[in-house]
Amino acid sequence: MKAITYTNYGPPDVLQIEEVAKPSPKDNEVLIKTRATTVTSGDWRVRSLNVPVGFGFISRLIFGVFKPRQPILGTELAGEIESVGKNVKKFKAGDQVFAFSGAAMGCYAEYKCMPKNGAVSLKPANLSYGEAAAISFGGTTALDFFKRGKLQSGEKVLINGASGGVGTAAVQLAKHFGAEVTGVCSTTNLELVKSLGANHVIDYTKEDFTDNGMSYDIIVDTAGTAPFSRIKNSLKEGGRLLLVLGGLPDMLQIPWVLMTSNKKIIAGPANERAEDLQFLAKLAELGKFKPVIDRQYPFEQIAEAHSYVDTGRKKGNVVIKLKQNNET
Ligand SMILES: NC(=O)c1ccc[n+]([C@@H]2O[C@H](COP(=O)([O-])OP(=O)(O)OC[C@H]3O[C@@H](n4cnc5c(N)ncnc54)[C@H](OP(=O)(O)O)[C@@H]3O)[C@@H](O)[C@H]2O)c1
């Protein structure tokens, strides 16, 4: 089968297309024929090892000290089950599914095995393969941070970086949970963020949200420009800062902030739970959650897709489509 591989950390041109062995499912696994995958900010970070301040060494320990341990990137896919292991009853050949391999990666390939009890779910019928492939990364991150931040209906939530992969999911989920949502983004993305349901939008190129007298129960930072020192006066008493993007110095402050105020910083990697995928699939089916697709690229042009994602300016998600046998 064809896969996109890399053998060294670096710019997008470290990615190459090559023939690798097609996997076969173990007894508890399903084999998925990939129809679409994505390029996420996570793929960019693991490819380049451009990671938040203080995480360079630990990232090498996790992903490979001198070269990548897992040569195939990609955390999300959607496709069709081709075959199942002998202990698998809940899926069958022909099922249309989407899956999240998370930190194990390996989705930039024509076929991928996933454990039957892993993050695999039937594809919502109202979503395309491309849309379904893009449910997981932003959706599970936003959902996990809102769970850890104990978001309550009626709370005021500000999302800094509301137009990215995590931000577009966070706006929709916060609205679903009954929050009053303010999205912060650049001028070109104001309409997009409003269309996702944000009650208010702030253009960060024209207005500093920490300087307008408003305060919030929860501030989500996906852009890395809203550390506690900057936003502490914009958090209400009992408020929580959800640092989706934070460096080691931000995390070292967590105990001090907890001891000296009644505000809280929540940070660290998002948990990857199969049940969160099922929840997002259900919401998507009900029309209450829809991944935003910015651009789509063919599999063979994945390096170009990476170059675009590297800009840090994508709107929602970038999808990679795989050609099927009968397609030209
Ligand atoms: N903790 C975790 O487990 C976890 C999980 C997922 C992602 N992350 C991290 O979270 C970050 C965001 O991920 P993503 O997938 O959403 O990235 P993304 O899709 O590349 O989006 C980044 C967004 O940031 C916005 N932005 C840039 N500068 C900004 C500023 N000064 N103020 C407000 N918004 C700004 C951009 O919008 P404009 O073009 O409008 O500026 C863009 O839409 C990444 O660094 C990623 O590594 C962490």
Side-chain angles (χ1 to χ4, degrees):
M1 69 165 183
K2 287 192 176 55
I4 307 290
T5 62
Y6 75 133
T7 50
N8 289 302
Y9 299 116
D13 63 11
V14 296
L15 299 171
Q16 59 203 359
I17 191 156
E18 67 170 319
E19 280 295 323
V20 301
K22 180 177 170 181
S24 47
K26 299 193 184 97
D27 292 351
N28 287 319
E29 288 183 338
V30 299
L31 176 67
I32 304 169
K33 183 170 172 47
T34 311
R35 301 288 298 264
T37 178
T38 62
V39 179
T40 66
S41 58
D43 296 317
W44 152 60
R45 290 207 183 276
V46 180
R47 190 209 72 228
S48 63
L49 275 201
N50 179 342
V51 293
V53 178
F55 287 111
F57 180 64
I58 192 164
S59 299
R60 282 190 186 266
L61 286 183
I62 296 170
F63 298 113
V65 176
F66 300 110
K67 61 188 184 80
R69 196 170 288 130
Q70 159 61 289
I72 304 178
L73 290 169
T75 61
E76 307 179 288
L77 63 74
E80 203 172 291
I81 296 206
E82 178 162 286
S83 60
V84 300
K86 69 173 195 252
N87 297 337
V88 179
K89 301 282 176 273
K90 69 183 198 190
F91 295 107
K92 60 180 187 321
D95 282 350
Q96 298 184 349
V97 294
F98 70 102
F100 185 43
S101 63
M105 300 178 287
C107 292
Y108 289 178
E110 288 182 308
Y111 293 90
K112 167 85 181 145
C113 285
M114 289 289 296
K116 67 171 184 181
N117 293 326
V120 184
S121 176
L122 289 176
K123 178 178 87 60
N126 53 340
L127 296 192
S128 66
Y129 280 113
E131 288 168 331
I135 288 178
S136 310
F137 180 84
T140 59
T141 300
L143 189 54
D144 182 62
F145 271 89
F146 284 142
K147 281 185 181 175
R148 285 156 69 198
K150 300 189 170 47
L151 169 62
Q152 304 294 319
S153 178
E155 286 193 315
K156 285 190 171 180
V157 174
L158 177 135
I159 297 158
N160 184 47
S163 55
V166 178
T168 52
V171 171
Q172 297 181 68
L173 290 174
K175 281 298 293 181
H176 173 70
F177 292 129
E180 182 181 326
V181 176
T182 301
V184 180
C185 57
S186 65
T187 318
T188 46
N189 292 324
L190 292 170
E191 286 309 315
L192 166 70
V193 172
K194 259 191 238 166
S195 75
L196 298 173
N199 303 84
H200 317 280
V201 284
I202 294 177
D203 181 345
Y204 70 80
T205 68
K206 299 203 172 114
E207 183 182 337
D208 180 347
F209 76 84
T210 65
D211 209 21
N212 64 5
M214 302 296 291
S215 57
Y216 304 91
D217 300 288
I218 287 186
I219 293 178
V220 183
D221 185 20
T222 78
T225 56
F228 188 76
S229 54
R230 178 179 167 222
I231 60 87
K232 61 183 179 218
N233 295 329
S234 305
L235 266 189
K236 292 185 182 192
E237 293 301 308
R240 290 85 77 203
L241 169 61
L242 310 186
L243 269 189
V244 176
L245 173 53
L248 196 56
D250 299 303
M251 294 190 191
L252 295 175
Q253 289 180 38
I254 293 175
W256 177 251
V257 168
L258 208 55
M259 279 189 300
T260 57
S261 73
N262 62 355
K263 300 175 184 179
K264 211 172 177 181
I265 304 175
I266 292 164
N271 293 301
E272 296 160 6
R273 297 185 203 88
E275 79 212 43
D276 287 350
L277 219 63
Q278 318 296 345
F279 176 81
L280 292 165
K282 193 89 225 146
L283 276 194
E285 245 164 37
L286 296 171
K288 294 183 174 169
F289 178 74
K290 188 167 184 183
V292 171
I293 307 303
D294 181 351
R295 295 186 182 182
Q296 304 205 33
Y297 293 80
F299 197 50
E300 296 72 21
Q301 286 173 21
I302 206 160
E304 282 91 324
H306 267 254
S307 296
Y308 179 55
V309 172
D310 281 18
T311 64
R313 304 237 90 90
K314 72 177 162 65
K315 305 170 206 311
N317 303 280
V318 168
V319 165
I320 304 297
K321 295 193 85 176
L322 282 85
K323 248 187 239 159
Q324 302 308 300
N325 293 341
N326 51 356
E327 284 176 356
T328 50

